[in-house]
């Protein structure tokens, strides 16, 4: 749940503030920033399909595929925070949409694969509750409050922190997953 919650903080920390961040910090017009919000959302589809396929090729080692996506996400976040070229930022947002939504989908799949069939509904509900009640609130209100009080650089650090938590959690899951596969 911690990995999923962390990913939601990153998702909503970026998604909720795309228009404001791009207009205030990157020099886009309001209409361009709203268009880029749509690009971010639509970009998620190919990333989810591709990461799911890669995790299948890795014989169900979904955490390994997720780690690769999260490392690329950290790199892309750095570009998002520091690049000022508008064309490059459009590509960066396309990648961000893929790299944020794909691990969110994979972690949900992993939870459903890990619990008995009779508990899938409860586990999905508990994860969704944590994602939206905590992850969305921290990502939307927390990032806004930090950006308003301390500036966008401080908000960027919070997003990096939650990305690092997600990577650390995914590494832990991968280690556990590998030891379970060795035992089986």
């Amino acid at each position: 749940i911690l990995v999923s919650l962390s990913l939601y903080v990153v998702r909503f920390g970026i998604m909720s503030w795309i228009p404001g961040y791009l207009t205030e910090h990157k020099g886009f017009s309001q209409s361009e920033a709203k268009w880029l919000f749509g690009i971010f959302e639509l970009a998620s589809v190919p990333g989810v399909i591709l990461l799911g396929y890669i995790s299948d090729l890795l014989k169900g080692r979904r955490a390994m595929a997720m780690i690769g996506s999260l490392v690329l996400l950290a790199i892309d976040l750095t570009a998002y925070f520091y690049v000022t070229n508008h064309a490059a930022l459009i590509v960066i947002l396309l990648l961000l949409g893929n790299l944020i939504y794909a691990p969110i989908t994979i972690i949900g799949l992993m939870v459903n694969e890990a619990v008995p069939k009779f508990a899938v509904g409860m586990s999905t509900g508990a994860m969704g509750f944590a994602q939206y009640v905590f992850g969305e609130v921290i990502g939307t209100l927390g990032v806004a409050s930090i950006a308003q009080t301390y500036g966008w650089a401080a908000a960027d650090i919070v997003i990096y922190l939650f990305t690092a938590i997600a990577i650390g959690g995914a590494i832990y899951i991968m280690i556990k997953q590998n030891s379970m596969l060795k035992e089986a």
Side-chain angles (χ1 to χ4, degrees):
I1 288 180
L2 183 62
V3 173
S4 180
L5 182 146
S6 297
L7 290 170
Y8 262 66
V9 171
V10 175
R11 173 188 170 195
F12 281 98
I14 298 295
M15 184 185 76
S16 297
W17 304 112
I18 286 173
Y21 186 77
L22 292 178
T23 56
E24 290 175 32
H25 199 64
K26 302 291 184 178
F28 282 91
S29 70
Q30 279 289 336
S31 63
E32 290 170 326
K34 288 177 184 176
W35 181 77
L36 290 172
F37 175 82
I39 292 253
F40 173 83
E41 288 287 292
L42 289 173
S44 64
V45 176
V48 168
I49 294 167
L50 181 62
L51 193 62
Y53 179 69
I54 290 169
S55 74
D56 288 343
L57 289 176
L58 293 170
K59 297 181 176 28
R61 289 183 170 90
R62 302 195 197 291
M64 187 182 303
M66 191 169 58
I67 291 167
S69 180
L70 292 173
V71 168
L72 291 173
L73 171 63
I75 293 166
D76 201 42
L77 281 171
T78 301
Y80 180 65
F81 296 144
Y82 293 103
V83 168
T84 57
N85 178 283
H86 285 195
L89 280 164
I90 292 169
V91 173
I92 289 164
L93 278 168
L94 280 165
L95 291 172
L96 275 178
N98 281 291
L99 296 169
I100 288 174
Y101 283 96
I104 288 172
T105 303
I106 292 296
I107 195 71
L109 177 61
M110 289 170 62
V111 167
N112 288 337
E113 290 176 339
V115 300
K117 285 185 181 185
F118 68 85
V120 168
M122 179 60 188
S123 66
T124 302
M127 188 172 64
F129 177 81
Q131 289 169 334
Y132 280 101
V133 171
F134 299 111
E136 182 178 358
V137 169
I138 294 168
T140 303
L141 298 177
V143 168
S145 177
I146 290 166
Q148 187 174 19
T149 306
Y150 303 104
W152 283 111
D156 297 349
I157 291 169
V158 170
I159 292 171
Y160 275 132
L161 174 67
F162 279 96
T163 302
I165 291 168
I167 291 169
I171 290 170
Y172 175 79
I173 292 168
M174 183 184 71
I175 291 168
K176 287 293 189 184
Q177 201 176 48
N178 287 340
S179 69
M180 288 172 50
L181 288 171
K182 284 180 185 176
E183 290 176 13

